[in-house]
Amino acid sequence: MSSHAIAEPQTPHPEESTTTTTTVQPPIFSPDNRWKSWLLIALNILFLLAGQSAAVLLTKFYFNKGGKSKWMVSLMQTAGFPLLYLPLLFFPSFNKQSPSSSNNITHYVVYFSLGCLLAIDNFMYTVGVKPLSISTYSLLCASQLVFNALFSVVINSEKLGILTLNSIIFITVSASMVAIHPDSSETKRDEKNPVRKNEHTIGFISTVGASAGYALFLSLTQFSFDKILKKDTFSVVFEMQIYTSLVSSFVCLLGLFLSLEFMDLKSEMEKFDEGKVIYVVSLIGIALAWQICSVGVVGLIYLVSSLFSNVVSMLSLPFVPLVGVLLCHEKMDAIKVLAMLFTLWGFATYIYQQYLDDKKSKKKESEEIEDSKSEV
């Protein structure tokens, strides 16, 4: 769930939000156009939530109906990156911004490294979603917050607040409950595609590992913005999205051929339960859904802040299990309900801690500006 976030999205860390919002302030936030700004924000939230949910559901549909190629699904998560240019149609002011200077070879090394990490992470997410139910998979993805906090301390030299520690505890307990509790949605799977115990274990490890990988991706992205790229205007964020997706797509395409999975695609299409047309449509749908999610992520970064974009991305994780219950008729037993409540509480405390940190940062910057004015 490049997501995971989702998927997901490839955004700077929440603590970068002040720079993002103050550096590039779109004209749509003038008093005369305030209703338009709220409409666009709501539209991008819809893109993010609907895109990520649809992508997970379509991925499960692909595997449940006879799809087998993990590298193909991983490729679809980033192959639709040209759709990221859609914001240029909705927001003409994007074109007026000066492009970032990416002539430095170091920048390309950063994009290549992060793109390779994203490809591996997408593959691990795909391995995880195949044997697990949607609800179990999504709840395990919430462990990303735990790794976010740990990598922020190690890589970004940030301090952990008491509320962040609280969220780590609750989300860890939630993931543990899901891990040791037998999932009736998985044991009652169609006999033609049974899920064995070792496959469940591999899915669990892969999903948690992918969550750790994406948290590492976010921390390294923040480090790159702070220490290498030196800025995080919209043009730089947009460029990061494009180049990392391009590299990730190439790596997944390479994996598709080196693993020889491409040789089975024709027979896989012919044996697909719903027919060849639906097979192609499902893969195209996965690509479109992930990029609709990415458009929402980029739009929220530009319209509000990277903090807000990440908050919405994280909120989509507990939302996905509900979609699985409603549309896929998965069973939501007491253990899963309790795990979801723990996860929601962990999200709430984590987000509130980020809000307090962001508020404290803005207050400190305001005081520094006032001090500089008084000195002049």
Side-chain angles (χ1 to χ4, degrees):
M1 185 181 288
S2 53
S3 75
H4 324 125
I6 7 86
E8 102 270 89
Q10 307 157 34
T11 57
H13 196 271
E15 280 72 13
E16 296 178 300
S17 57
T18 303
T19 308
T20 304
T21 53
T22 56
T23 305
V24 184
Q25 184 68 15
I28 60 172
F29 282 96
S30 61
D32 295 336
N33 294 323
R34 189 167 297 276
W35 68 271
K36 291 184 179 180
S37 69
W38 284 110
L39 180 61
L40 289 172
I41 290 172
L43 183 62
N44 280 279
I45 290 175
L46 178 62
F47 281 168
L48 198 161
L49 293 177
Q52 183 163 334
S53 300
V56 175
L57 289 171
L58 286 171
T59 301
K60 283 303 294 182
F61 174 82
Y62 167 82
F63 285 123
N64 288 344
K65 298 301 180 179
K68 298 179 181 179
S69 178
K70 301 182 185 70
W71 280 112
M72 175 58 77
V73 174
S74 302
L75 173 62
M76 290 299 102
Q77 293 185 40
T78 52
F81 69 88
L83 289 176
L84 291 174
Y85 286 99
L86 283 179
L88 300 179
L89 301 177
F90 291 100
F91 312 123
S93 57
F94 286 179
N95 290 314
K96 299 178 182 179
Q97 299 181 41
S98 58
S100 62
S101 60
S102 57
N103 296 325
N104 193 332
I105 188 65
T106 307
H107 292 192
Y108 291 112
V109 172
V110 170
Y111 298 146
F112 178 79
S113 301
L114 291 177
C116 290
L117 175 59
L118 182 62
I120 296 172
D121 192 66
N122 287 344
F123 181 75
M124 293 181 67
Y125 271 127
T126 302
V127 173
V129 75
K130 182 178 180 180
L132 301 177
S133 67
I134 293 175
S135 53
T136 299
Y137 168 78
S138 300
L139 289 172
L140 289 177
C141 284
S143 62
Q144 177 190 320
L145 285 186
V146 177
F147 297 109
N148 268 346
L150 297 178
F151 285 129
S152 294
V153 173
V154 176
I155 297 177
N156 307 116
S157 302
E158 296 173 2
K159 296 180 180 179
L160 290 181
I162 186 65
L163 294 178
T164 301
L165 291 174
N166 176 81
S167 69
I168 289 176
I169 294 173
F170 273 89
I171 292 175
T172 301
V173 171
S174 173
S176 301
M177 292 171 64
V178 172
I180 63 177
H181 179 63
D183 194 330
S184 57
S185 298
E186 290 155 13
T187 56
K188 295 181 179 180
R189 194 71 54 83
D190 184 58
E191 294 180 358
K192 190 167 59 175
N193 188 22
V195 177
R196 299 176 182 176
K197 186 175 181 180
N198 63 330
E199 290 178 325
H200 181 277
T201 303
I202 293 174
F204 171 81
I205 295 174
S206 296
T207 303
V208 174
S211 299
Y214 193 67
L216 176 63
F217 177 87
L218 290 178
S219 292
L220 290 176
T221 299
Q222 181 189 358
F223 180 83
S224 299
F225 279 124
D226 293 341
K227 305 299 183 181
I228 301 176
L229 304 178
K230 303 293 186 180
K231 53 185 176 179
D232 63 345
T233 60
F234 174 82
S235 59
V236 178
V237 173
F238 183 79
E239 187 177 81
M240 175 76 81
Q241 294 259 11
I242 293 294
Y243 284 131
T244 53
S245 295
L246 176 63
V247 172
S248 176
S249 298
F250 177 78
V251 172
C252 290
L253 188 62
L254 191 63
L256 181 65
F257 281 92
L258 292 179
S259 66
L260 302 181
E261 283 188 0
F262 76 97
M263 298 178 65
D264 300 324
L265 292 180
K266 184 177 180 180
S267 61
E268 180 181 300
M269 183 188 302
E270 293 174 348
K271 296 178 182 178
F272 197 68
D273 293 350
E274 302 298 324
K276 296 180 182 179
V277 175
I278 301 300
Y279 174 85
V280 175
V281 170
S282 64
L283 289 176
I284 294 176
I286 292 172
L288 289 176
W290 278 122
Q291 294 314 311
I292 287 173
C293 175
S294 296
V295 168
V297 168
V298 175
L300 289 178
I301 289 174
Y302 179 68
L303 294 171
V304 188
S305 69
S306 57
L307 170 61
F308 185 76
S309 180
N310 276 308
V311 167
V312 177
S313 298
M314 291 184 294
L315 285 176
S316 67
L317 291 179
F319 171 75
V320 173
L322 297 179
V323 177
V325 173
L326 294 175
L327 298 183
C328 298
H329 308 292
E330 293 185 352
K331 184 178 180 181
M332 184 65 74
D333 52 30
I335 296 295
K336 278 190 179 180
V337 171
L338 186 59
M340 181 178 290
L341 292 176
F342 279 9
T343 300
L344 287 171
W345 178 254
F347 275 133
T349 54
Y350 181 89
I351 291 168
Y352 187 62
Q353 181 69 65
Q354 296 302 310
Y355 167 76
L356 293 177
D357 292 343
D358 187 58
K359 186 177 181 180
K360 183 178 179 181
S361 176
K362 288 182 178 179
K363 183 179 179 181
K364 184 177 179 180
E365 286 189 3
S366 178
E367 291 175 350
E368 290 177 353
I369 293 174
E370 291 296 329
D371 291 341
S372 62
K373 288 182 178 180
S374 61
E375 292 177 0
V376 175

